Amino acid sequence: MAGTNTLPASPLDDLDDMVYVSDGEKSSLKDNVMQPPSDVQPGMVPDIKAFYPGERDDRTGRHIVTDKRPDDLPEPEETDENGRYALVVRYFRCYDGRKQLSISSIVVQSPLLKRVLSWVLKDYPCMAPELDRLEVVSPFRPFVHRWQRLVYTLQCEQDPETKSHIRLFYDALKTELDLTLETRDDFFDHSTITFNALWMIFSPGDIVFTTQNKRQVAAKVIDSMIHSGRYEDVYHLECEMIYCDGTSFGWGKHWFDIPEFAGMRKINDLPVYPIDFHRNVDKITQKLISKGKAYERLLGVHHKQYRGIALDGHHPFYV
């Protein structure tokens, strides 16, 4: 018909219903398994070849790979029916002598709770509560760092339904984190820490204090983790500091390392530590602020003139 564009038939139009078989004839996918012809070029069969873990090899301890789908696969937990619940909590058997079960992960499905967690975890790295599927995993470090915020939201929430969802999440985490929170509070009360527990005192967003080239400086924590070195582990702190290029100020990255140590260590004896553990936190905070303001005032070109005695080594001379 005039004025009508007819597209040529595509060889892919019947791809969902027809496949190659060994005798080269077409057949229905419902009745036949795809058998590519022997002369097909590599990568040109329009299908997926899947492999699955089979039985465990007793000699190697590894699963034998097979192309047969296992018949005993468990049903997934996150079904439409389970999607109605505010939380999906996965437990595993615990053999530490203190409890029978421990939580491996929590899937947050409640939109009310996600809204609250957006504030609790605001600016926390690698956390995105706004996602459709929010899963938090053990050891739940973000919530150890932001525990007080979570408690605050539970105490202050006015909407009964939202409060009930916060309570569910709080109760699940409280049972899981009780011992961790008690240990953290004990460290804080005595201003001491172990190497493996350093993560407890370095929360993203915290201000830390250190000395560089005999200068006292402060930085803001972005993230922290243990790095395995060739001879020893180090605790690696990724931070931000304010720098100046001579004309303007801005944030720049800086990294600090705490070498591995045995036993306990006073927090303020570490090469870098949260400024709140400084012996004179108010005094050092004001001192750093004053130094920053003075540096800012001196930004640019300034001139001073001096006439009088100067020293060149041990020899005075007049300028």
Side-chain angles (χ1 to χ4, degrees):
M1 181 180 294
T4 302
N5 295 325
T6 303
L7 296 175
S10 169
L12 300 179
D13 288 345
D14 298 327
L15 186 60
D16 292 337
D17 297 323
M18 307 305 293
V19 298
Y20 290 107
V21 291
S22 58
D23 59 2
E25 297 179 353
K26 292 183 177 180
S27 182
S28 173
L29 275 172
K30 298 179 180 178
D31 302 322
N32 296 278
V33 178
M34 175 176 287
Q35 300 288 338
S38 58
D39 60 346
V40 69
Q41 295 183 6
M44 293 305 295
V45 177
D47 197 10
I48 296 173
K49 182 62 177 177
F51 292 94
Y52 307 92
E55 297 181 356
R56 185 184 294 274
D57 187 337
D58 294 335
R59 295 172 302 173
T60 64
R62 299 179 179 179
H63 287 278
I64 299 173
V65 177
T66 176
D67 60 358
K68 181 182 177 182
R69 181 181 173 86
D71 298 325
D72 56 350
L73 292 175
E75 290 296 323
E77 304 99 338
E78 296 181 42
T79 60
D80 290 341
E81 181 180 357
N82 293 336
R84 299 176 302 166
Y85 295 90
L87 302 174
V88 173
V89 181
R90 292 188 176 92
Y91 291 91
F92 65 94
R93 293 182 182 275
C94 187
Y95 301 98
D96 64 357
R98 296 179 292 183
K99 51 187 176 182
Q100 296 175 318
L101 293 172
S102 190
I103 298 176
S104 62
S105 69
I106 301 175
V107 179
V108 180
Q109 301 183 140
S110 163
L112 302 177
L113 186 55
K114 288 180 183 179
R115 176 179 58 80
V116 171
L117 294 182
S118 293
W119 178 80
V120 173
L121 298 173
K122 184 178 180 181
D123 297 329
Y124 201 96
C126 303
M127 295 297 295
E130 66 277 5
L131 294 178
D132 290 338
R133 185 182 183 277
L134 172 63
E135 183 175 17
V136 293
V137 298
S138 179
F140 307 106
R141 291 184 179 182
F143 294 99
V144 175
H145 290 151
R146 300 290 176 87
W147 188 253
Q148 295 305 320
R149 281 197 180 195
L150 182 62
V151 172
Y152 177 82
T153 60
L154 179 61
Q155 294 173 343
C156 298
E157 181 58 51
Q158 300 298 314
D159 177 60
E161 188 174 20
T162 302
K163 193 179 187 75
S164 67
H165 287 210
I166 301 173
R167 170 62 69 179
L168 284 173
F169 187 73
Y170 171 85
D171 289 345
L173 274 183
K174 184 70 164 62
T175 302
E176 182 67 19
L177 296 178
D178 250 347
L179 293 173
T180 302
L181 293 171
E182 288 178 8
T183 301
R184 181 203 62 175
D185 292 344
D186 194 31
F187 283 142
F188 282 14
D189 291 342
H190 295 88
S191 297
T192 57
I193 200 69
T194 63
F195 180 77
N196 287 328
L198 281 171
W199 66 269
M200 294 184 179
I201 65 172
F202 292 111
S203 174
D206 284 356
I207 303 300
V208 294
F209 173 82
T210 188
T211 301
Q212 283 189 317
N213 300 322
K214 299 182 180 181
R215 294 185 300 111
Q216 297 172 324
V217 297
K220 183 169 70 173
V221 177
I222 299 175
D223 204 357
S224 63
M225 65 206 74
I226 291 179
H227 277 192
S228 296
R230 184 174 181 181
Y231 301 106
E232 65 175 5
D233 292 343
V234 296
Y235 196 79
H236 188 70
L237 278 169
E238 180 184 355
C239 297
E240 282 185 320
M241 295 176 62
I242 296 179
Y243 289 92
C244 179
D245 61 3
T247 57
S248 60
F249 292 91
W251 289 100
K253 292 283 187 71
H254 198 91
W255 291 265
F256 301 99
D257 286 335
I258 301 176
E260 185 177 10
F261 57 89
M264 297 283 186
R265 182 75 60 86
K266 280 290 185 182
I267 293 177
N268 53 21
D269 286 340
L270 298 172
V272 54
Y273 58 89
I275 197 169
D276 288 339
F277 288 93
H278 195 280
R279 293 180 179 85
N280 298 301
V281 58
D282 293 333
K283 183 177 179 179
I284 193 63
T285 300
Q286 290 303 316
K287 181 179 179 181
L288 290 173
I289 292 174
S290 298
K291 288 173 63 178
K293 289 181 177 180
Y295 193 92
E296 184 182 19
R297 288 195 302 270
L298 293 174
L299 186 65
V301 179
H302 302 272
H303 171 75
K304 285 188 176 182
Q305 184 174 342
Y306 171 77
R307 290 186 179 276
I309 301 297
L311 292 176
D312 180 11
H314 298 288
H315 307 287
F317 64 95
Y318 184 80
V319 295

